[in-house]
Amino acid sequence: MAYTRKNQNSLSRAERRRFVDAVLRLKRRGEYDEFVRTHIDFYVSDGDDRLRVAHMTPTFLPWHRRFLLDFERALRRIDDSVTVPYWDWTKDRSPAASLWGEDLMGGNGRRSDRRVTTGPFARGNGWVVKEAVTDGDFLTRDLGRRADPLELPTRQDVAWAMAETVYDVEPWDSTSRRGFRNRLEGWTEESGSARWRNHNRVHRWVGGHMLGGASVNDPVFWLNHAFVDLLWSRWQRKRPDSAPYLPAKPPTLGDAQYQRIVARREPMPPWRTTPQDMLSHKSVYRYAE
Amino acid sequence: MSSVSRVSGANRLKRRHLIAVAAAAALGAVGAFRGLREKDEREGLPGAPGGPGFDETYRGRRIQGEPTTGEREHGPDGWRVTVDGQPLGLMRRADGSYLSMVDHYQSYATPLAAARGAVDELGSYQTLSGRLH
């Protein structure tokens, strides 16, 4: 029986509490920090001449789908009523949204050092950051980048990605000019704050730990990626005649992307899971939209 | 006005480089000129790809970068960058620009610009942990 992932703004008080409690228990067991480490270890940039599976690559979507499934499975071992909620940032756009309430994500970081001081993920309430590239052991945020404000991505940004009829295109990286994957991931050739779209822009908007490789330290990471995952699902429904994943075949010797990206039926490290395995989620979960 | 003081190795730099770097840093201090800063720091400046190394104090942090050869420990081939002595992981994007591990979503034309960007993001209260990707 498939379970349901809900919009975070529709969770009952009890559902919020159970989600937060499961995350906190995972953290106390040390399992949460394994997810942080995995995400750090698999951030490979596209100018690097080696296999990249998580970002700037066609597997950005299936890799994170699998990553979320692992996290959700770990939560459900603790409490089988819990699922990962999604954050529709085209609608819940303000630091005043209930998402940032004390019973869910907690609030913004303070101005002086961006330290989150409210909610379950505040250092003072026991959430200790252990795996990071900076030395503080407290979670940081700078919602909306107060020194130089920017907005969350809009419905128009999502529509710009959804308008793509092809899943991904050569050169299969952050410079791909077309393709749903790169537009949803959010890389552009623009400068200033127009450079960030969709997924990337959410990381920029939250700021603090969400900006770097250790972004998983902020549990809002999962809520952003659940929405990105929902949008992939929605795109597939909208484009039944498009190949659901590309490339179908691995690049061959002599191609710049040879052994640097994963084709539809090849494994995505650290798992043996292939993009093909991740094309449908309906037997495991569905989204309440 | 941001202070850029050369601390060592500066004598290897030509005078016009110093002037250009100071000018770029002054522009960099003003958020509105962010775009200009990126365009201004290209070939021929310290920290440009294939260019000379850099060693400066930027917003109170010592940032150093050296071109390297041979086996890399982390980051793009050919650069070792530190902030206050701690290694700053840099990654190369396909368009030739550089990302730092402090901010994965903004890229810069040169390792020097990426190091300054990392310092901007670290602010006055955070230091690097020494951990690389």
Side-chain angles (χ1 to χ4, degrees):
Chain A
M1 178 69 183
Y3 55 79
T4 301
R5 291 184 182 170
K6 298 176 181 172
N7 188 320
Q8 56 78 27
N9 71 18
S10 73
L11 298 184
S12 68
R13 191 172 298 180
E15 285 171 330
R16 288 166 165 244
R17 195 189 67 242
R18 294 180 82 148
F19 172 71
V20 167
D21 284 352
V23 172
L24 293 176
R25 283 185 61 182
L26 208 58
K27 177 78 172 178
R28 282 197 294 272
R29 293 174 176 194
E31 288 181 57
Y32 192 93
D33 290 316
E34 290 174 29
F35 289 100
V36 183
R37 277 193 294 276
T38 298
H39 194 261
I40 293 173
D41 292 346
F42 281 86
Y43 202 109
V44 175
S45 187
D46 55 7
D48 210 350
D49 189 14
R50 58 193 173 114
L51 181 67
R52 59 179 197 282
V53 287
H55 305 91
M56 308 180 186
T57 188
T59 40
F60 167 69
L61 293 167
W63 192 92
H64 281 89
R65 176 168 286 176
R66 172 63 208 257
F67 193 51
L68 257 72
L69 278 169
D70 281 10
F71 175 66
E72 196 167 48
R73 197 171 297 139
L75 293 178
R76 289 167 64 80
R77 276 198 296 269
I78 291 166
D79 180 344
D80 67 6
S81 78
V82 169
T83 65
V84 176
Y86 66 87
W87 168 26
D88 180 347
W89 23 257
T90 68
K91 293 190 177 132
D92 291 306
R93 305 178 56 74
S94 155
S98 60
L99 170 66
W100 307 105
E102 296 211 12
D103 63 346
L104 197 52
M105 290 294 110
N108 200 357
R110 59 189 182 193
R111 277 181 185 269
S112 58
D113 59 1
R114 300 182 200 148
R115 177 177 180 147
V116 171
T117 58
T118 58
F121 309 113
R123 175 69 182 83
N125 293 331
W127 186 261
V128 182
V129 170
K130 294 178 179 162
E131 303 287 339
V133 297
T134 48
D135 63 349
D137 67 354
F138 51 88
L139 180 63
T140 56
R141 288 182 187 142
D142 182 19
L143 303 184
R145 195 171 61 178
R146 287 164 293 199
D148 183 9
L150 83 167
E151 299 290 321
L152 282 163
T154 61
R155 277 186 305 154
Q156 287 72 30
D157 290 325
V158 170
W160 169 77
M162 286 288 171
E164 287 296 294
T165 55
V166 178
Y167 175 79
D168 206 349
V169 299
E170 289 181 341
W172 317 108
D173 62 19
S174 70
T175 68
S176 295
R177 285 163 183 259
R178 303 299 302 263
F180 173 69
R181 186 276 311 166
N182 200 33
R183 287 191 169 190
L184 182 58
E185 189 173 359
W187 301 102
T188 67
E189 293 175 6
E190 310 216 30
S191 60
S193 68
R195 80 183 73 206
W196 303 287
R197 299 286 186 100
N198 293 317
H199 156 269
N200 284 3
R201 194 175 181 90
V202 177
H203 279 270
R204 175 63 267 186
W205 188 88
V206 176
H209 278 99
M210 274 285 274
L211 267 188
S215 53
V216 178
N217 280 304
D218 193 334
V220 83
F221 171 92
W222 305 103
L223 281 67
N224 177 33
H225 271 279
F227 187 56
V228 168
D229 189 74
L230 178 159
L231 292 174
W232 182 27
S233 209
R234 198 181 281 173
W235 181 83
Q236 279 182 271
R237 279 204 309 274
K238 187 181 160 95
R239 307 278 173 206
D241 299 325
S242 296
Y245 181 87
L246 289 170
K249 296 269 187 285
T252 51
L253 183 63
D255 187 303
Q257 295 297 324
Y258 176 63
Q259 294 190 337
R260 291 169 69 187
I261 59 169
V262 167
R264 183 167 170 171
R265 290 180 174 81
E266 295 183 301
M268 300 182 291
W271 312 287
R272 293 168 63 198
T273 305
T274 67
Q276 172 68 32
D277 297 333
M278 289 288 108
L279 292 184
S280 172
H281 57 74
K282 68 173 190 269
S283 65
V284 183
Y285 62 89
R286 58 177 286 275
Y287 284 104
E289 292 187 53
Chain B
M1 189 73 185
S2 141
S3 64
V4 176
S5 61
R6 319 296 301 183
V7 282
S8 74
N11 52 357
R12 290 202 302 274
L13 291 169
K14 289 177 183 160
R15 184 171 193 81
R16 63 191 166 84
H17 284 159
L18 280 173
I19 293 164
V21 169
L27 285 173
V30 184
F33 289 97
R34 201 165 284 224
L36 269 178
R37 177 177 61 180
E38 284 160 27
K39 288 192 189 80
D40 285 349
E41 287 177 5
R42 298 248 179 208
E43 315 296 314
L45 287 172
F54 54 88
D55 184 344
E56 68 174 39
T57 301
Y58 174 72
R59 299 180 72 176
R61 304 293 185 98
R62 186 171 183 183
I63 52 180
Q64 296 165 286
E66 294 166 341
T68 62
T69 55
E71 286 297 301
R72 62 187 197 122
E73 284 178 55
H74 179 78
D77 292 313
W79 281 93
R80 180 190 302 113
V81 176
T82 58
V83 177
D84 291 339
Q86 293 282 18
L88 173 69
L90 289 188
M91 293 179 289
R92 202 82 193 259
R93 267 187 67 198
D95 63 6
S97 63
Y98 293 84
L99 293 171
S100 89
M101 61 190 188
V102 175
D103 182 352
H104 277 169
Y105 300 99
Q106 180 155 352
S107 49
Y108 299 85
T110 66
L112 173 58
R116 288 180 180 158
V119 167
D120 289 340
E121 194 53 45
L122 288 168
S124 56
Y125 60 92
Q126 284 184 106
T127 57
L128 294 171
S129 65
R131 178 182 176 134
L132 295 170
H133 287 95

